[in-house]
Structure formats: structure tokens, C-alpha cells
Coordinates of all heavy atoms in Angstrom, one line a residue:
M131 N 8.1 -3.8 -23.0 CA 9.1 -2.9 -23.6 C 9.1 -1.6 -22.8 O 8.0 -1.1 -22.4 CB 8.7 -2.7 -25.1 CG 9.6 -1.6 -25.8 SD 9.3 -1.7 -27.5 CE 11.0 -1.6 -28.1
I132 N 10.2 -1.0 -22.7 CA 10.4 0.3 -22.0 C 10.1 1.4 -22.9 O 10.7 1.5 -24.0 CB 11.8 0.4 -21.4 CG1 12.0 -0.8 -20.4 CG2 12.0 1.7 -20.7 CD1 13.4 -0.9 -19.9
D133 N 9.3 2.4 -22.5 CA 9.0 3.6 -23.3 C 10.1 4.6 -23.2 O 10.3 5.2 -22.2 CB 7.6 4.2 -22.8 CG 7.2 5.3 -23.6 OD1 8.0 6.0 -24.2 OD2 5.9 5.6 -23.6
R134 N 10.8 4.8 -24.3 CA 12.0 5.7 -24.3 C 11.6 7.1 -24.0 O 12.3 7.8 -23.3 CB 12.6 5.6 -25.7 CG 14.0 6.4 -25.7 CD 14.7 6.2 -27.1 NE 16.0 6.7 -27.0 CZ 16.4 8.0 -27.2 NH1 15.4 8.9 -27.3 NH2 17.6 8.3 -27.1
E135 N 10.4 7.6 -24.4 CA 10.0 8.9 -24.1 C 9.8 9.1 -22.6 O 10.1 10.2 -22.1 CB 8.7 9.3 -24.9 CG 8.9 9.3 -26.4 CD 10.1 10.3 -26.8 OE1 10.1 11.4 -26.3 OE2 10.9 9.9 -27.6
K136 N 9.2 8.1 -21.9 CA 9.0 8.2 -20.5 C 10.4 8.3 -19.8 O 10.6 9.0 -18.8 CB 8.2 7.1 -20.0 CG 6.7 7.2 -20.3 CD 6.0 6.0 -19.7 CE 4.5 6.1 -20.1 NZ 3.7 5.0 -19.5
V137 N 11.3 7.4 -20.3 CA 12.7 7.4 -19.7 C 13.3 8.7 -19.8 O 13.9 9.3 -18.9 CB 13.5 6.3 -20.3 CG1 15.0 6.3 -19.9 CG2 12.9 4.9 -20.0
L138 N 13.2 9.3 -21.0 CA 13.8 10.6 -21.3 C 13.2 11.7 -20.3 O 14.0 12.5 -19.7 CB 13.6 11.1 -22.7 CG 14.5 10.4 -23.7 CD1 14.0 10.7 -25.2 CD2 16.0 10.8 -23.6
A139 N 11.9 11.7 -20.1 CA 11.3 12.6 -19.3 C 11.7 12.5 -17.8 O 12.0 13.5 -17.2 CB 9.7 12.5 -19.4
V140 N 11.8 11.3 -17.4 CA 12.3 11.0 -16.0 C 13.8 11.5 -15.8 O 14.1 12.2 -14.9 CB 12.1 9.5 -15.6 CG1 12.9 9.2 -14.3 CG2 10.7 9.2 -15.5
L141 N 14.6 11.1 -16.8 CA 16.0 11.5 -16.7 C 16.2 13.0 -16.7 O 17.0 13.6 -16.0 CB 16.8 10.9 -17.8 CG 17.0 9.3 -17.7 CD1 17.6 8.8 -19.0 CD2 17.8 9.0 -16.5
H142 N 15.4 13.7 -17.6 CA 15.5 15.2 -17.6 C 15.1 15.8 -16.3 O 15.7 16.8 -15.8 CB 14.6 15.8 -18.8 CG 15.2 15.7 -20.1 ND1 16.3 16.4 -20.5 CD2 14.8 15.0 -21.2 CE1 16.6 16.1 -21.7 NE2 15.7 15.3 -22.2
R143 N 14.1 15.3 -15.7 CA 13.6 15.8 -14.4 C 14.6 15.5 -13.3 O 14.9 16.3 -12.4 CB 12.3 15.2 -14.0 CG 11.1 15.9 -14.6 CD 9.8 15.5 -13.8 NE 9.6 14.1 -13.6 CZ 9.0 13.2 -14.4 NH1 8.5 13.6 -15.5 NH2 8.9 11.9 -14.1
R144 N 15.2 14.3 -13.3 CA 16.1 13.8 -12.2 C 17.5 14.4 -12.3 O 18.1 14.6 -11.4 CB 16.1 12.3 -12.3 CG 16.9 11.6 -11.2 CD 16.2 11.8 -9.8 NE 17.0 11.1 -8.8 CZ 17.9 11.7 -8.0 NH1 18.2 12.9 -8.1 NH2 18.5 11.0 -7.1
F145 N 17.9 14.6 -13.6 CA 19.3 15.2 -13.8 C 19.2 16.4 -14.7 O 19.6 16.4 -15.8 CB 20.1 14.1 -14.5 CG 20.2 12.8 -13.7 CD1 19.4 11.7 -14.0 CD2 21.0 12.7 -12.5 CE1 19.5 10.5 -13.3 CE2 21.0 11.6 -11.8 CZ 20.3 10.5 -12.2
P146 N 18.7 17.5 -14.1 CA 18.5 18.7 -14.9 C 19.8 19.3 -15.4 O 19.8 20.0 -16.4 CB 17.8 19.7 -13.9 CG 18.1 19.2 -12.6 CD 18.3 17.7 -12.7
G147 N 20.9 19.0 -14.8 CA 22.2 19.6 -15.3 C 22.9 18.7 -16.4 O 23.9 19.1 -16.9
A148 N 22.3 17.6 -16.7 CA 22.9 16.7 -17.7 C 22.7 17.3 -19.1 O 21.7 17.9 -19.4 CB 22.3 15.3 -17.6
T149 N 23.7 17.0 -20.0 CA 23.6 17.5 -21.4 C 22.6 16.6 -22.1 O 22.3 15.5 -21.7 CB 24.9 17.4 -22.1 OG1 25.3 16.0 -22.2 CG2 26.0 18.2 -21.3
P150 N 22.0 17.1 -23.2 CA 21.1 16.2 -24.0 C 21.8 14.9 -24.4 O 21.1 13.9 -24.5 CB 20.8 17.1 -25.2 CG 20.9 18.5 -24.7 CD 22.1 18.5 -23.7
E151 N 23.1 15.0 -24.7 CA 23.8 13.8 -25.2 C 23.9 12.8 -24.0 O 23.8 11.6 -24.2 CB 25.2 14.2 -25.7 CG 25.2 15.0 -26.9 CD 25.0 16.5 -26.7 OE1 25.0 16.9 -25.6 OE2 24.7 17.1 -27.7
Q152 N 24.1 13.3 -22.8 CA 24.2 12.4 -21.6 C 22.9 11.7 -21.4 O 22.8 10.5 -21.1 CB 24.7 13.1 -20.4 CG 26.1 13.5 -20.5 CD 26.5 14.5 -19.3 OE1 25.7 15.3 -18.9 NE2 27.7 14.3 -18.8
V153 N 21.8 12.5 -21.4 CA 20.5 12.0 -21.2 C 20.1 10.9 -22.3 O 19.6 9.9 -22.0 CB 19.4 13.1 -21.2 CG1 18.0 12.6 -21.1 CG2 19.7 14.0 -20.0
A154 N 20.4 11.2 -23.5 CA 20.1 10.3 -24.6 C 20.9 9.0 -24.5 O 20.4 7.9 -24.7 CB 20.5 11.0 -26.0
A155 N 22.2 9.1 -24.1 CA 23.0 7.9 -23.9 C 22.4 7.0 -22.7 O 22.3 5.8 -22.9 CB 24.4 8.3 -23.6
A156 N 22.0 7.7 -21.6 CA 21.5 6.9 -20.5 C 20.1 6.3 -20.9 O 19.9 5.1 -20.6 CB 21.3 7.9 -19.3
A157 N 19.3 7.0 -21.6 CA 18.0 6.5 -22.1 C 18.2 5.3 -23.0 O 17.5 4.3 -22.9 CB 17.2 7.6 -22.8
N158 N 19.2 5.4 -23.9 CA 19.5 4.3 -24.8 C 19.9 3.0 -24.0 O 19.5 1.9 -24.4 CB 20.6 4.7 -25.8 CG 20.0 5.7 -26.8 OD1 18.9 5.8 -27.0 ND2 21.0 6.3 -27.5
A159 N 20.7 3.2 -23.0 CA 21.2 2.1 -22.2 C 20.0 1.5 -21.5 O 19.9 0.2 -21.4 CB 22.3 2.6 -21.2
I160 N 19.2 2.3 -20.9 CA 18.0 1.7 -20.2 C 17.0 1.0 -21.1 O 16.6 -0.1 -20.8 CB 17.3 2.9 -19.4 CG1 18.2 3.4 -18.3 CG2 16.0 2.4 -18.8 CD1 17.7 4.7 -17.7
V161 N 16.7 1.6 -22.2 CA 15.8 1.0 -23.2 C 16.4 -0.3 -23.7 O 15.7 -1.3 -24.0 CB 15.5 2.0 -24.3 CG1 14.7 1.3 -25.4 CG2 14.6 3.1 -23.8
G162 N 17.7 -0.4 -23.8 CA 18.4 -1.6 -24.4 C 18.5 -2.7 -23.4 O 18.9 -3.8 -23.7
L163 N 18.0 -2.5 -22.1 CA 18.1 -3.5 -21.1 C 17.3 -4.8 -21.5 O 17.6 -5.9 -21.2 CB 17.6 -3.0 -19.8 CG 18.6 -2.1 -19.1 CD1 17.9 -1.6 -17.8 CD2 19.9 -2.8 -18.7
D164 N 16.2 -4.6 -22.3 CA 15.4 -5.7 -22.7 C 16.2 -6.7 -23.5 O 15.9 -7.9 -23.5 CB 14.2 -5.2 -23.6 CG 13.1 -4.7 -22.7 OD1 13.1 -4.9 -21.5 OD2 12.2 -4.0 -23.3
D165 N 17.2 -6.2 -24.2 CA 18.1 -7.1 -25.0 C 19.0 -8.0 -24.1 O 19.4 -9.1 -24.5 CB 18.9 -6.3 -26.0 CG 18.1 -5.6 -27.0 OD1 17.0 -6.0 -27.3 OD2 18.6 -4.6 -27.5
E166 N 19.4 -7.5 -23.0 CA 20.3 -8.1 -22.1 C 19.7 -8.9 -20.9 O 20.3 -9.8 -20.4 CB 21.3 -7.1 -21.5 CG 22.2 -6.4 -22.5 CD 23.1 -5.5 -21.9 OE1 23.7 -5.8 -20.8 OE2 23.3 -4.3 -22.4
W167 N 18.5 -8.5 -20.5 CA 17.9 -9.0 -19.3 C 16.5 -9.5 -19.6 O 15.8 -9.0 -20.3 CB 17.8 -8.0 -18.2 CG 19.2 -7.5 -17.7 CD1 20.0 -6.6 -18.2 CD2 20.0 -8.1 -16.7 NE1 21.2 -6.5 -17.6 CE2 21.2 -7.4 -16.6 CE3 19.7 -9.2 -15.8 CZ2 22.2 -7.8 -15.7 CZ3 20.7 -9.5 -14.9 CH2 21.9 -8.8 -14.8
E168 N 16.2 -10.6 -18.9 CA 14.9 -11.3 -19.1 C 14.1 -11.2 -17.8 O 14.7 -11.6 -16.7 CB 15.1 -12.7 -19.5 CG 13.8 -13.5 -19.7 CD 14.1 -15.0 -20.0 OE1 15.3 -15.4 -20.1 OE2 13.2 -15.7 -20.3
D169 N 12.9 -10.7 -17.8 CA 12.1 -10.6 -16.6 C 11.6 -11.9 -16.2 O 10.9 -12.6 -16.9 CB 10.9 -9.6 -16.9 CG 10.1 -9.3 -15.6 OD1 10.3 -10.0 -14.5 OD2 9.2 -8.5 -15.7
M170 N 12.0 -12.4 -15.0 CA 11.7 -13.7 -14.5 C 10.6 -13.6 -13.4 O 10.3 -14.7 -12.8 CB 12.9 -14.4 -13.9 CG 14.0 -14.6 -14.9 SD 13.6 -15.6 -16.3 CE 13.4 -17.2 -15.4
T171 N 10.0 -12.5 -13.2 CA 9.1 -12.3 -12.1 C 7.9 -13.3 -12.2 O 7.4 -13.8 -11.2 CB 8.5 -10.9 -12.0 OG1 9.7 -10.0 -12.0 CG2 7.7 -10.6 -10.8
G172 N 7.4 -13.6 -13.4 CA 6.3 -14.5 -13.6 C 6.7 -15.9 -13.3 O 5.8 -16.8 -13.2
H173 N 7.9 -16.2 -13.1 CA 8.4 -17.6 -12.8 C 8.5 -17.8 -11.3 O 9.0 -18.8 -10.8 CB 9.7 -17.9 -13.5 CG 9.6 -18.0 -14.9 ND1 9.2 -19.1 -15.6 CD2 9.8 -17.1 -15.9 CE1 9.2 -18.9 -16.9 NE2 9.5 -17.6 -17.1
E174 N 8.1 -16.8 -10.5 CA 8.3 -16.9 -9.0 C 7.8 -18.2 -8.4 O 8.5 -18.7 -7.6 CB 7.6 -15.7 -8.4 CG 7.9 -15.6 -6.9 CD 7.2 -14.4 -6.2 OE1 6.6 -13.6 -6.9 OE2 7.3 -14.4 -5.0
P175 N 6.6 -18.7 -8.8 CA 6.2 -20.0 -8.2 C 7.2 -21.1 -8.4 O 7.2 -22.1 -7.6 CB 4.9 -20.2 -8.8 CG 4.4 -18.9 -9.3 CD 5.6 -18.2 -9.7
E176 N 8.0 -21.0 -9.5 CA 8.9 -22.1 -9.8 C 10.2 -22.0 -9.0 O 11.1 -22.9 -9.1 CB 9.2 -22.1 -11.3 CG 8.0 -22.3 -12.1 CD 8.3 -22.0 -13.6 OE1 9.4 -22.2 -14.1 OE2 7.3 -21.5 -14.3
F177 N 10.5 -20.9 -8.3 CA 11.7 -20.7 -7.6 C 11.9 -21.6 -6.5 O 13.0 -22.0 -6.2 CB 11.8 -19.2 -7.1 CG 11.9 -18.2 -8.1 CD1 11.7 -16.9 -7.8 CD2 12.3 -18.5 -9.4 CE1 11.8 -15.9 -8.7 CE2 12.4 -17.5 -10.4 CZ 12.1 -16.2 -10.0
G178 N 10.9 -22.0 -5.8 CA 11.0 -22.9 -4.7 C 11.4 -22.0 -3.4 O 12.1 -21.1 -3.5
Y179 N 10.9 -22.4 -2.3 CA 11.2 -21.7 -1.1 C 11.6 -22.7 0.0 O 11.1 -23.8 0.0 CB 10.0 -20.9 -0.6 CG 9.6 -19.8 -1.6 CD1 8.6 -20.0 -2.5 CD2 10.2 -18.6 -1.5 CE1 8.2 -19.0 -3.4 CE2 9.9 -17.6 -2.4 CZ 8.9 -17.8 -3.3 OH 8.5 -16.8 -4.2
H180 N 12.4 -22.3 0.9 CA 12.7 -23.1 2.1 C 12.5 -22.2 3.3 O 13.2 -21.2 3.5 CB 14.2 -23.5 2.1 CG 14.6 -24.2 3.3 ND1 14.2 -25.5 3.6 CD2 15.4 -23.8 4.4 CE1 14.7 -25.9 4.7 NE2 15.4 -24.9 5.2
F181 N 11.4 -22.5 4.0 CA 11.0 -21.7 5.1 C 11.7 -22.1 6.4 O 12.0 -23.3 6.6 CB 9.5 -21.7 5.3 CG 8.7 -21.0 4.3 CD1 8.0 -21.7 3.3 CD2 8.7 -19.7 4.3 CE1 7.3 -21.1 2.3 CE2 7.9 -19.0 3.3 CZ 7.3 -19.7 2.3
S182 N 12.1 -21.1 7.1 CA 12.8 -21.3 8.4 C 12.1 -20.4 9.4 O 11.7 -19.3 9.0 CB 14.3 -21.0 8.3 OG 14.9 -20.8 9.5
S183 N 12.1 -20.7 10.7 CA 11.6 -19.9 11.7 C 12.4 -18.6 11.8 O 11.9 -17.6 12.3 CB 11.5 -20.6 13.0 OG 12.8 -20.9 13.4
Q184 N 13.6 -18.6 11.3 CA 14.5 -17.4 11.4 C 14.6 -16.7 10.0 O 15.3 -15.7 9.9 CB 15.9 -17.8 11.8 CG 15.9 -18.4 13.2 CD 17.3 -18.8 13.6 OE1 18.1 -19.1 12.7 NE2 17.6 -18.9 14.9
C185 N 13.9 -17.2 9.0 CA 14.1 -16.6 7.7 C 13.9 -15.1 7.6 O 14.7 -14.4 7.1 CB 13.2 -17.3 6.7 SG 13.5 -16.8 5.0
G186 N 12.8 -14.7 8.2 CA 12.5 -13.2 8.2 C 13.5 -12.4 9.0 O 13.7 -11.2 8.7
E187 N 14.2 -13.0 9.9 CA 15.2 -12.3 10.7 C 16.6 -12.3 10.0 O 17.4 -11.4 10.3 CB 15.3 -13.0 12.1 CG 14.1 -13.0 12.9 CD 14.1 -13.9 14.1 OE1 15.2 -14.4 14.4 OE2 13.1 -14.2 14.7
I188 N 16.9 -13.3 9.2 CA 18.2 -13.3 8.6 C 18.3 -13.1 7.1 O 19.3 -12.9 6.6 CB 18.9 -14.7 8.9 CG1 18.1 -15.8 8.3 CG2 19.1 -14.9 10.4 CD1 18.8 -17.2 8.4
C189 N 17.1 -13.1 6.5 CA 17.1 -12.9 5.0 C 16.4 -11.6 4.7 O 15.2 -11.4 5.0 CB 16.3 -14.1 4.4 SG 16.1 -13.9 2.6
Y190 N 17.2 -10.7 4.1 CA 16.7 -9.4 3.8 C 15.4 -9.4 2.9 O 14.4 -8.7 3.1 CB 17.8 -8.5 3.1 CG 17.3 -7.2 2.6 CD1 17.1 -6.1 3.4 CD2 17.0 -7.0 1.2 CE1 16.6 -4.9 3.0 CE2 16.5 -5.8 0.7 CZ 16.3 -4.8 1.6 OH 15.9 -3.6 1.2
L191 N 15.5 -10.3 1.8 CA 14.3 -10.4 0.9 C 13.1 -10.9 1.6 O 12.0 -10.4 1.4 CB 14.7 -11.2 -0.3 CG 15.7 -10.7 -1.2 CD1 16.0 -11.7 -2.3 CD2 15.3 -9.3 -1.8
A192 N 13.3 -11.9 2.5 CA 12.1 -12.4 3.2 C 11.5 -11.4 4.1 O 10.3 -11.2 4.2 CB 12.5 -13.7 4.0
E193 N 12.4 -10.6 4.8 CA 11.9 -9.6 5.7 C 11.2 -8.5 4.9 O 10.1 -8.1 5.3 CB 13.1 -8.9 6.4 CG 12.7 -7.7 7.2 CD 13.9 -7.0 7.7 OE1 15.0 -7.0 7.1 OE2 13.8 -6.3 8.7
Q194 N 11.7 -8.1 3.8 CA 11.0 -7.1 3.0 C 9.7 -7.6 2.4 O 8.7 -6.8 2.3 CB 12.0 -6.6 1.8 CG 13.2 -5.9 2.3 CD 12.8 -4.6 3.1 OE1 12.1 -3.7 2.6 NE2 13.3 -4.6 4.4
S195 N 9.7 -8.8 2.0 CA 8.4 -9.4 1.5 C 7.4 -9.4 2.6 O 6.2 -9.1 2.4 CB 8.7 -10.9 1.0 OG 7.5 -11.5 0.6
Q196 N 7.8 -9.8 3.8 CA 6.8 -9.8 5.0 C 6.3 -8.4 5.2 O 5.2 -8.2 5.7 CB 7.5 -10.4 6.2 CG 7.7 -11.9 6.1 CD 8.6 -12.4 7.3 OE1 9.1 -11.6 8.1 NE2 8.7 -13.7 7.3
L197 N 7.1 -7.4 4.9 CA 6.6 -6.0 5.1 C 5.8 -5.5 3.9 O 5.4 -4.3 3.9 CB 7.9 -5.1 5.2 CG 8.7 -5.3 6.5 CD1 10.0 -4.5 6.4 CD2 7.9 -4.9 7.7
G198 N 5.5 -6.4 2.9 CA 4.7 -6.0 1.8 C 5.4 -5.4 0.6 O 4.7 -5.0 -0.3
R199 N 6.7 -5.5 0.6 CA 7.4 -5.0 -0.6 C 7.3 -5.9 -1.7 O 7.1 -7.1 -1.5 CB 8.9 -4.8 -0.2 CG 9.2 -4.0 0.9 CD 9.0 -2.5 0.7 NE 9.7 -1.7 1.7 CZ 9.0 -1.1 2.7 NH1 7.7 -1.3 2.8 NH2 9.7 -0.4 3.6
E200 N 7.3 -5.4 -2.9 CA 7.3 -6.2 -4.1 C 8.6 -6.2 -4.8 O 9.3 -5.2 -4.8 CB 6.2 -5.7 -5.1 CG 4.8 -5.8 -4.5 CD 3.7 -5.4 -5.5 OE1 4.0 -5.3 -6.7 OE2 2.6 -5.0 -5.0
F201 N 8.9 -7.3 -5.5 CA 10.2 -7.4 -6.2 C 10.0 -7.8 -7.7 O 9.0 -8.5 -8.0 CB 11.1 -8.5 -5.5 CG 11.5 -8.1 -4.2 CD1 10.7 -8.5 -3.1 CD2 12.6 -7.4 -3.9 CE1 11.1 -8.2 -1.8 CE2 13.0 -7.1 -2.7 CZ 12.2 -7.4 -1.6
R202 N 10.9 -7.4 -8.5 CA 10.9 -7.9 -9.9 C 12.2 -8.6 -10.0 O 13.3 -8.2 -9.5 CB 10.9 -6.8 -10.9 CG 9.5 -6.1 -10.8 CD 9.2 -5.2 -11.9 NE 9.1 -6.0 -13.2 CZ 8.9 -5.5 -14.3 NH1 8.9 -4.2 -14.5 NH2 8.8 -6.2 -15.4
V203 N 12.2 -9.8 -10.6 CA 13.4 -10.6 -10.7 C 13.8 -10.7 -12.2 O 13.0 -11.0 -13.1 CB 13.1 -12.1 -10.2 CG1 14.4 -12.9 -10.3 CG2 12.7 -12.0 -8.8
F204 N 15.1 -10.4 -12.5 CA 15.6 -10.4 -13.8 C 16.8 -11.4 -13.9 O 17.5 -11.6 -12.9 CB 16.1 -9.0 -14.2 CG 15.0 -8.0 -14.4 CD1 14.5 -7.3 -13.4 CD2 14.4 -7.8 -15.7 CE1 13.5 -6.4 -13.5 CE2 13.4 -6.9 -15.9 CZ 12.9 -6.2 -14.8
R205 N 16.9 -12.0 -15.1 CA 18.0 -12.9 -15.3 C 18.8 -12.4 -16.6 O 18.1 -12.0 -17.6 CB 17.5 -14.3 -15.6 CG 18.6 -15.3 -16.1 CD 18.0 -16.7 -16.2 NE 17.0 -16.7 -17.3 CZ 16.4 -17.8 -17.6 NH1 16.5 -18.9 -16.9 NH2 15.5 -17.8 -18.6
K206 N 20.1 -12.3 -16.5 CA 20.9 -11.9 -17.6 C 20.8 -12.9 -18.7 O 21.0 -14.1 -18.4 CB 22.3 -11.6 -17.2 CG 23.1 -10.9 -18.3 CD 24.4 -10.4 -17.8 CE 25.2 -9.7 -18.8 NZ 24.8 -8.3 -19.1
R207 N 20.5 -12.5 -19.9 CA 20.4 -13.5 -21.0 C 21.8 -14.0 -21.3 O 22.8 -13.3 -21.3 CB 19.8 -12.8 -22.2 CG 18.4 -12.3 -22.1 CD 17.9 -11.7 -23.4 NE 16.7 -11.0 -23.2 CZ 15.5 -11.5 -23.2 NH1 15.3 -12.8 -23.4 NH2 14.4 -10.8 -23.1
G208 N 21.8 -15.3 -21.7 CA 23.1 -15.9 -22.1 C 23.3 -15.6 -23.6 O 22.5 -15.0 -24.2
P209 N 24.5 -16.0 -24.0 CA 24.8 -15.7 -25.4 C 23.9 -16.5 -26.3 O 23.5 -17.6 -26.0 CB 26.3 -16.2 -25.6 CG 26.6 -17.0 -24.3 CD 25.5 -16.7 -23.3
S210 N 23.5 -15.9 -27.4 CA 22.6 -16.5 -28.4 C 23.3 -17.7 -29.0 O 24.5 -17.6 -29.4 CB 22.2 -15.5 -29.5 OG 21.5 -14.4 -28.9
A211 N 22.6 -18.8 -29.2 CA 23.1 -20.0 -29.8 C 22.9 -20.0 -31.3 O 22.0 -19.4 -31.8 CB 22.6 -21.2 -29.1

């Protein structure tokens, strides 16, 4: 769960000219992401990979991974049944 108070603090620092209403609306949208998106990062081993000798040269994500970057993967939730 996203901590709304931390989001508000970051938004206030990052956008000092924003009105309190704008900051609150942005924070509400960010905190509400949990309802729309599902973190799939823990399923990474299930994604499957196809290695190629050129993969790091032609695939941005592979290149960034080789450089030690980390990624979080999210999936938009489908409609509730």
C-alpha cells in the first residue's frame, strides 16, 4: 500500500507552486493506483526469457538489466467479475 502522507510530502517538495487542491488530487490518484494496477514483479521467474547474442544490443530492457537497473512490473487489473 502506498503511504498517502509520503506522497503528499514528495508532491509538495516537487511542485511547490501547486495548490493544496492540486496536490491532494494528485496524491489521491497515486494512492488509488493499487485499485487499478497489480504488481507483477514477484512473478518475474514465470515470464520466460529468450536469450539472443544480440539481445542486449537491441532490447532496451535487457541492456538496462545488464547495467544493473531494477524494474517493477505492473499489470492493469481487468474488470471485476
Side-chain angles (χ1 to χ4, degrees):
M131 176 169 226
I132 300 173
D133 183 334
R134 189 173 190 281
E135 295 304 314
K136 286 183 182 180
V137 171
L138 284 170
V140 169
L141 291 173
H142 279 295
R143 277 195 314 267
R144 184 70 176 94
F145 303 103
T149 67
E151 293 81 14
Q152 290 172 321
V153 173
N158 289 342
I160 292 168
V161 171
L163 287 175
D164 280 346
D165 296 335
E166 295 180 44
W167 294 89
E168 179 180 4
D169 187 351
M170 300 298 295
T171 306
H173 293 276
E174 184 181 355
E176 300 168 32
F177 292 163
Y179 296 96
H180 177 72
F181 288 104
S182 162
S183 61
Q184 298 176 335
C185 186
E187 298 169 12
I188 61 175
C189 177
Y190 174 77
L191 292 177
E193 175 189 24
Q194 294 300 303
S195 179
Q196 289 172 352
L197 293 172
R199 304 287 195 259
E200 293 183 23
F201 295 91
R202 293 194 69 185
V203 179
F204 290 86
R205 172 176 66 184
K206 189 165 181 83
R207 294 182 194 274
S210 298

